[in-house]
Coordinates of all heavy atoms in Angstrom, one line a residue:
W11 N 0.8 -1.2 0.0 CA 0.0 0.0 0.0 C 0.9 1.2 0.0 O 1.9 1.3 0.7 CB -0.9 0.0 1.2 CG -1.8 1.2 1.3 CD1 -1.6 2.4 2.0 CD2 -3.0 1.5 0.5 NE1 -2.6 3.3 1.8 CE2 -3.5 2.8 0.8 CE3 -3.6 0.7 -0.5 CZ2 -4.6 3.3 0.3 CZ3 -4.8 1.3 -1.1 CH2 -5.2 2.5 -0.7
T12 N 0.5 2.2 -0.8 CA 1.2 3.5 -0.9 C 0.4 4.6 -0.2 O -0.7 4.8 -0.6 CB 1.5 3.9 -2.4 OG1 2.3 2.9 -3.0 CG2 2.2 5.2 -2.5
V13 N 1.0 5.3 0.7 CA 0.4 6.4 1.4 C 0.7 7.6 0.6 O 1.8 8.0 0.3 CB 1.0 6.6 2.8 CG1 0.4 7.8 3.5 CG2 0.8 5.3 3.6
R14 N -0.4 8.3 0.2 CA -0.2 9.5 -0.7 C 0.4 10.7 -0.1 O 1.1 11.5 -0.7 CB -1.6 9.9 -1.3 CG -2.2 8.8 -2.2 CD -3.6 9.2 -2.7 NE -3.5 10.4 -3.5 CZ -4.5 11.2 -3.9 NH1 -5.7 10.9 -3.5 NH2 -4.3 12.2 -4.7
E15 N 0.1 10.9 1.2 CA 0.5 12.2 1.9 C 0.8 11.9 3.3 O 0.1 11.2 4.0 CB -0.7 13.2 1.8 CG -0.5 14.5 2.4 CD -1.7 15.4 2.1 OE1 -2.7 15.3 2.9 OE2 -1.7 16.2 1.2
T16 N 1.8 12.5 3.8 CA 2.3 12.4 5.2 C 2.4 13.7 5.9 O 3.0 14.6 5.4 CB 3.6 11.6 5.3 OG1 3.4 10.3 4.7 CG2 4.0 11.4 6.8
W17 N 1.8 13.8 7.1 CA 1.8 15.0 7.9 C 2.8 14.7 9.1 O 2.6 13.7 9.8 CB 0.5 15.4 8.4 CG -0.5 15.8 7.4 CD1 -0.7 15.4 6.1 CD2 -1.6 16.8 7.6 NE1 -1.7 16.0 5.5 CE2 -2.3 16.9 6.4 CE3 -2.0 17.6 8.6 CZ2 -3.4 17.7 6.2 CZ3 -3.1 18.4 8.5 CH2 -3.8 18.5 7.3
L18 N 3.7 15.6 9.3 CA 4.6 15.5 10.5 C 4.2 16.5 11.6 O 4.1 17.6 11.3 CB 6.1 15.8 10.0 CG 6.6 15.0 8.9 CD1 8.1 15.4 8.6 CD2 6.6 13.5 9.1
S19 N 4.1 15.9 12.8 CA 3.8 16.7 13.9 C 5.1 17.0 14.7 O 6.0 16.2 14.8 CB 2.8 16.0 14.8 OG 2.4 16.8 16.0
A20 N 5.1 18.2 15.3 CA 6.3 18.7 16.1 C 7.6 18.7 15.3 O 8.7 18.5 15.8 CB 6.5 17.8 17.3
H21 N 7.5 19.1 14.0 CA 8.6 19.3 13.1 C 9.2 20.6 13.4 O 8.6 21.5 13.9 CB 8.2 19.2 11.7 CG 9.3 19.1 10.7 ND1 9.9 20.3 10.1 CD2 9.9 18.1 10.1 CE1 10.8 19.9 9.3 NE2 10.9 18.6 9.3
P22 N 10.6 20.8 13.2 CA 11.2 22.1 13.5 C 10.6 23.2 12.7 O 10.7 24.4 13.2 CB 12.7 21.8 13.2 CG 12.8 20.4 13.3 CD 11.5 19.7 12.9
T23 N 10.1 22.9 11.5 CA 9.4 24.0 10.8 C 8.0 23.5 10.4 O 7.7 22.3 10.5 CB 10.2 24.3 9.5 OG1 10.2 23.1 8.7 CG2 11.6 24.8 9.8
A24 N 7.1 24.4 10.0 CA 5.8 24.0 9.6 C 5.5 24.7 8.3 O 5.9 25.8 8.0 CB 4.8 24.5 10.7
N25 N 4.7 23.9 7.5 CA 4.3 24.5 6.2 C 2.8 24.4 6.0 O 2.3 24.7 4.9 CB 5.0 23.9 5.0 CG 4.7 22.4 4.9 OD1 3.9 21.8 5.6 ND2 5.4 21.7 4.0
H26 N 2.1 24.1 7.1 CA 0.6 24.0 7.0 C 0.0 24.1 8.4 O 0.5 23.6 9.3 CB 0.2 22.6 6.4 CG -1.3 22.5 6.2 ND1 -2.0 23.3 5.4 CD2 -2.2 21.6 6.8 CE1 -3.3 22.9 5.4 NE2 -3.4 21.9 6.2
A27 N -1.1 24.9 8.5 CA -1.8 25.1 9.7 C -3.3 24.7 9.5 O -3.8 25.0 8.5 CB -1.7 26.6 10.2
V28 N -3.8 24.2 10.6 CA -5.2 23.8 10.6 C -5.9 24.7 11.7 O -5.5 24.7 12.8 CB -5.5 22.3 10.9 CG1 -6.9 22.0 11.0 CG2 -4.8 21.5 9.8
D29 N -6.9 25.4 11.3 CA -7.7 26.2 12.3 C -8.6 25.3 13.1 O -9.5 24.6 12.6 CB -8.6 27.2 11.5 CG -9.3 28.2 12.4 OD1 -9.6 27.8 13.6 OD2 -9.5 29.3 12.0
V30 N -8.3 25.2 14.4 CA -9.0 24.3 15.3 C -9.8 25.0 16.3 O -10.2 24.5 17.4 CB -8.0 23.3 16.0 CG1 -7.3 22.4 14.9 CG2 -7.0 24.0 16.8
T31 N -10.1 26.3 16.0 CA -10.9 27.1 17.0 C -12.2 26.4 17.3 O -12.6 26.3 18.5 CB -11.2 28.5 16.4 OG1 -9.9 29.0 15.9 CG2 -11.7 29.4 17.5
D32 N -12.9 25.9 16.3 CA -14.2 25.3 16.5 C -14.1 23.9 17.1 O -15.2 23.4 17.6 CB -15.0 25.2 15.2 CG -15.3 26.6 14.7 OD1 -15.2 27.6 15.5 OD2 -15.5 26.8 13.5
T33 N -13.0 23.3 17.2 CA -12.9 21.9 17.8 C -12.0 22.0 19.0 O -11.7 20.9 19.6 CB -12.3 20.9 16.8 OG1 -11.0 21.4 16.3 CG2 -13.2 20.7 15.6
F34 N -11.7 23.2 19.5 CA -10.8 23.3 20.7 C -11.4 22.6 21.9 O -10.7 22.0 22.7 CB -10.5 24.7 20.9 CG -9.6 25.0 22.2 CD1 -8.2 24.6 22.1 CD2 -10.1 25.4 23.3 CE1 -7.4 24.8 23.2 CE2 -9.3 25.6 24.5 CZ -8.0 25.3 24.4
D35 N -12.7 22.8 22.1 CA -13.3 22.2 23.3 C -13.1 20.7 23.3 O -12.9 20.1 24.4 CB -14.7 22.6 23.4 CG -14.9 24.1 23.8 OD1 -13.9 24.7 24.2 OD2 -16.0 24.6 23.7

């Protein structure tokens, strides 16, 4: 199986942000 896209958490740099205001609670 080939994974099309990988997101890295806690990377030294970031290139994408997700607005989580509405899911913060």
Side-chain angles (χ1 to χ4, degrees):
W11 179 257
T12 298
V13 178
R14 296 179 62 191
E15 181 179 82
T16 301
W17 295 34
L18 305 179
S19 181
H21 192 270
T23 60
N25 61 7
H26 182 62
V28 176
D29 188 327
V30 298
T31 311
D32 295 338
T33 56
F34 178 73
D35 288 348

